[in-house]
Amino acid sequence: MLALVRPDSWNLPLFLHVLGATLTFGATATVALLGFAGLRGDPERAVWLRRLGFRIGLFVLVPAFILMRAGAQWIADKEFPGNAKTPGWLDVGFIVTEPGAVLVLAMLILAWFGSRRAGSRVAAAVPWLAAVYLVALGIAWFAMSAKPGS
């Protein structure tokens, strides 16, 4: 119902934000799954899975994160111009994405080191970091869609 009264100029930034958020969640889940799968089994297969996880993180997660964050800032500037008070659900999104950028960067660095050789202990941290970020993204997803307290 609320979408019916939204100005048409908000459609593109909101679409880009939601598209980026969906791709960010999916790419983070993929990196986590590949990372967990790469912890066990044949060393050659494990390295291949970790390399695939690193590539998905670099070529899908990073652009999706940038798209999500740019779309979020664009729509926030349109919806709450100037020094307007932002609602709590919007603050949750910024609280998740700003430290999330550091987490994604750390995850990619560790994934790069982990994809270099078979016996790397660093690779064990990547799926756990991705899982932690998935939980944070889920909280932001709930806050953005349910808008509790509004």
Side-chain angles (χ1 to χ4, degrees), residues 5-86:
V5 295
R6 183 178 61 235
D8 286 339
S9 66
W10 294 5
N11 289 342
L12 179 63
L14 185 60
F15 172 75
L16 293 176
H17 169 64
V18 171
L19 176 65
T22 304
L23 290 172
T24 299
F25 190 86
T28 305
T30 304
V31 169
L33 290 172
L34 289 172
F36 282 124
L39 293 178
R40 304 260 184 234
D42 180 35
E44 287 181 28
R45 181 177 164 266
V47 170
W48 180 80
L49 287 170
R50 286 185 289 208
R51 283 186 184 151
L52 183 61
F54 169 70
R55 289 182 182 141
I56 288 173
L58 186 63
F59 298 121
V60 180
L61 178 57
V62 170
F65 184 88
I66 292 169
L67 180 65
M68 173 187 67
R69 191 62 179 86
Q73 191 62 53
W74 190 9
I75 192 68
D77 289 344
K78 283 187 170 291
E79 194 169 349
F80 305 102
N83 294 330
K85 171 125 174 58
T86 57

